[in-house]
């Protein structure tokens, strides 16, 4: 086949659409399910409040990002299933990722943020920023269907009271706040509030999938790609090996799995071009193990390096009894505290849609944490580990603490210490934003071509070195747009 794409998240979806439009047939191999078929309860996705097996990727116990309430664990046993959200245990950190046709777009908060140009120029100095900000960011935003909340509605609806409280206290401490664009359709959300359509964001749906309202990749890039008739997708197929084929091209070994994760068939195909778009962790693990096992021995030494968490750390504050955050909260965040230039913190004011008044302000902070880790192949287990250790997350806590200590002092409020464990204020044990592992212009050339292997490319979050300063998917999409344009022009 002409082109095989590993993974159907942002990098993979952009690659498929643009290759297809250039007349090239391509095939996407995706290890997760195709999330289009309802279960026996009539729902495609599980309930947010009490997720069943559909919520998690091959786990026998849920692993909720906000794991406790009043210090008591809310996790419970489930049966192993190829569910939508992977809380992948990489030693000292759980890396959350979407699994299914659409990758992270199935589970994320939809926050579609273009980073500050000055920071982008620092992290990816080899990329022409003019081109990115004039052509590829606009192209990504347009194709992703990014839209903005109506500020007047934001100011009046009960569903964003939690955000308004977050904005008020941040501003009173001298921090700027900013509206954050999203791929959730805010017109649909208004109709949800009016009671004229089925609720999704206003029914708490987000990290286990949205039945309505969200422009995830299956309705944007992948939908357009499918409409060309030149793209096919194999869900529940996992790539295990890529190696040069006899003659030309690459042999790709694939395991077909069932919905409980069992291998039902193994397959081998040959492709002229192979695009790694398995996400930062997925692509890094594949490349590091192919290099170590001698299948792709000439990959650059930079493969597996410069991985970071985007400085992610979660924290919650307790508001005063009169500062109600509302029992009704939209699951879609739409405001951030922008203290990046002053404090190295961009904090999303996150909802906690529990259906009851809890006086909680929850935040997911992105911090300027310079710590990086690397992936290593373990020859005794055949697996790939990550060197990240807990001490490396301390910098994220330190940066975020300056901001939230100041707010607490001004408001005379305290941190909640009952939501991430018993007596635990910071949740530094997870990331939603894994980045790096096959960094642009180091592990690859300046357009994602892997050194040493013509016809092998990296197209996903692995290209971005560890920290993009804001939520990452718009940058991953825009960079993929830029790289595939160059690859189509020169290599095909
Ligand atoms: P992505 O992870 O999207 O896709 C990779 C795909 O490859 C997956 O579908 C995976 O199953 C598949 N795969 C992996 N290994 C494979 C193999 N060996 N064979 C076959 N397939 C394989 N970002 C943002 O900008 N705004 C936001 O609001 C949020 N919110 C958010 C919430 C939550 C809960 C999560 C988990 C994440 C976010 N994110 C986010 C992060 C965002 O979703 C993430 O950065 C992108 O999805 C990464 O895009 P990629 O294309 O790199 O990989």
């Amino acid at each position: 086949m002409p082109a095989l794409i590993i993974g159907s998240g942002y990098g993979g979806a952009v690659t498929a659409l643009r290759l297809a439009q250039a007349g090239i047939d391509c095939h996407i191999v995706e290890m997760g399910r195709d999330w289009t078929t309802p279960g026996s309860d009539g729902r495609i996705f599980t309930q947010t409040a009490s997720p069943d097996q559909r919520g998690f990727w091959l786990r026998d116990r849920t692993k909720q990002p906000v794991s406790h309430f009043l210090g008591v664990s809310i996790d419970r046993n489930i049966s192993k299933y190829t569910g939508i959200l992977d809380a992948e245990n990489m030693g000292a950190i759980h890396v959350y990722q979407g699994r299914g046709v659409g990758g992270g777009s199935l589970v994320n908060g939809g926050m579609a943020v273009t980073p500050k140009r000055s920071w982008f120029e620092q992290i990816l100095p080899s990329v022409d920023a003019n081109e990115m900000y004039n052509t590829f960011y606009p192209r990504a935003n347009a194709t992703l269907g990014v839209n903005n909340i109506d500020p007047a509605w934001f100011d009046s609806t009960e569903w964003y009271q939690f955000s308004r409280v977050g904005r008020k206290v941040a501003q009173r401490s001298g921090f700027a706040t900013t509206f954050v664009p999203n791929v959730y359709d805010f017109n649909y959300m208004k109709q949800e509030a009016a009671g004229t359509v089925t609720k999704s964001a206003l029914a708490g749906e987000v990290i286990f999938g949205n039945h309505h309202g969200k422009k995830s990749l299956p309705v944007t890039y992948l939908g357009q790609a499918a409409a060309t008739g030149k793209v096919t997708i194999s869900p529940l197929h996992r790539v295990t090996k890529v190696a040069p084929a006899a003659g030309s091209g690459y042999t790709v070994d694939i395991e077909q799995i069932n919905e409980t994760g069992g291998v039902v068939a193994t397959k081998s195909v040959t492709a002229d071009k192979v695009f790694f778009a398995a996400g930062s962790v997925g692509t890094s693990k594949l490349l590091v193990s192919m290099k170590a096992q001698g299948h792709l021995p000439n990959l650059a030494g930079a493969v597996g390096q410069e991985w970071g968490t985007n400085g992610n750390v979660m924290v919650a504050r307790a508001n005063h009894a009169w500062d109600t955050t509302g029992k009704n909260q939209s699951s879609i965040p739409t405001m951030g505290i922008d203290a990046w230039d002053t404090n190295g913190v961009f904090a999303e004011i996150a909802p906690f849609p529990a259906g009851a008044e809890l006086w909680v302000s929850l935040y997911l902070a992105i911090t300027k944490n310079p710590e990086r880790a690397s992936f290593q192949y373990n020859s005794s287990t055949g697996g790939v580990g990550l060197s990240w250790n807990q001490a490396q997350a301390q910098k994220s806590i330190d940066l975020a603490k300056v901001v939230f200590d100041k707010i607490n002092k001004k408001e005379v409020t305290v941190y909640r210490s009952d939501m991430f464990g018993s007596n635990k204020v910071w949740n530094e044990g997870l990331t939603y934003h894994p980045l790096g592992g096959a960094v642009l212009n180091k592990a690859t050339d300046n357009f994602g071509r892997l050194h040493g292997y013509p016809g092998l490319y990296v197209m996903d979050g692995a290209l971005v070195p560890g920290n993009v300063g804001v939520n990452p998917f718009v940058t991953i999409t825009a960079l993929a747009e830029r790289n595939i344009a160059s690859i189509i022009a020169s290599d095909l």
Side-chain angles (χ1 to χ4, degrees), residues 172-391:
R172 280 207 292 236
S173 286
F175 296 112
T177 57
T178 178
F179 279 111
V180 172
N182 206 289
V183 296
Y184 197 91
D185 182 344
F186 286 113
N187 283 327
Y188 187 86
M189 199 190 290
K190 272 188 183 174
Q191 295 171 55
E192 291 177 55
T196 55
V197 296
T198 310
K199 285 188 173 64
S200 182
L202 303 193
E205 290 186 342
V206 62
I207 62 170
F208 305 121
N210 283 88
H211 284 93
H212 307 280
K214 187 156 163 213
K215 285 172 269 176
S216 54
L217 291 170
V219 296
T220 58
Y221 275 94
L222 291 171
Q224 280 192 46
T228 65
K230 299 190 90 55
V231 178
T232 49
I233 306 185
S234 295
L236 294 173
H237 281 67
R238 176 169 57 207
V239 170
T240 55
K241 181 179 164 186
V242 179
S248 67
Y250 294 89
T251 303
V252 180
D253 289 359
I254 300 166
E255 289 176 348
Q256 182 177 2
I257 59 175
N258 60 25
E259 289 182 356
T260 52
V263 177
V264 294
T266 55
K267 304 175 181 180
S268 195
V269 296
T270 303
D272 298 336
K273 314 267 182 214
V274 177
F275 295 84
F276 289 82
S280 159
V281 175
T283 290
S284 302
K285 287 198 305 188
L286 273 172
L287 292 176
V288 164
S289 59
M290 291 307 98
K291 182 172 164 71
Q293 291 174 35
H295 302 306
L296 298 172
N298 301 328
L299 286 174
V303 160
Q305 306 293 313
E306 284 195 69
W307 184 87
T309 63
N310 210 22
N312 277 191
V313 60
M314 271 188 188
V315 69
R317 295 177 37 261
N319 291 295
H320 291 295
W322 58 85
D323 244 348
T324 51
T325 48
K327 79 175 168 55
N328 286 330
Q329 302 190 6
S330 168
S331 64
I332 295 297
T334 192
M335 182 154 283
I337 301 173
D338 183 359
W340 187 255
D341 291 333
T342 49
N343 298 76
V345 174
F346 181 86
E348 136 191 358
I349 299 170
F352 191 59
E357 176 58 54
L358 297 173
W359 297 276
V360 168
S361 284
L362 180 68
Y363 306 89
L364 174 66
I366 294 165
T367 63
K368 209 181 267 184
N369 183 339
E371 293 288 334
R372 299 290 178 264
S374 58
F375 293 88
Q376 286 95 21
Y377 181 68
N378 181 331
S379 54
S380 52
T381 63
V384 175
L386 180 63
S387 69
W388 185 261
N389 62 61
Q390 212 184 337

Side-chain angles (χ1 to χ4, degrees), residues 7 10-11 30-31 99 103-104 108-111 239 278 432 460-461 471-473:
Y10 293 91
E30 166 56 54
M31 75 183 192
R99 295 282 175 242
N108 66 36
M111 295 176 77
V239 170
Y432 282 177
D460 56 19
N471 313 64
F473 75 63

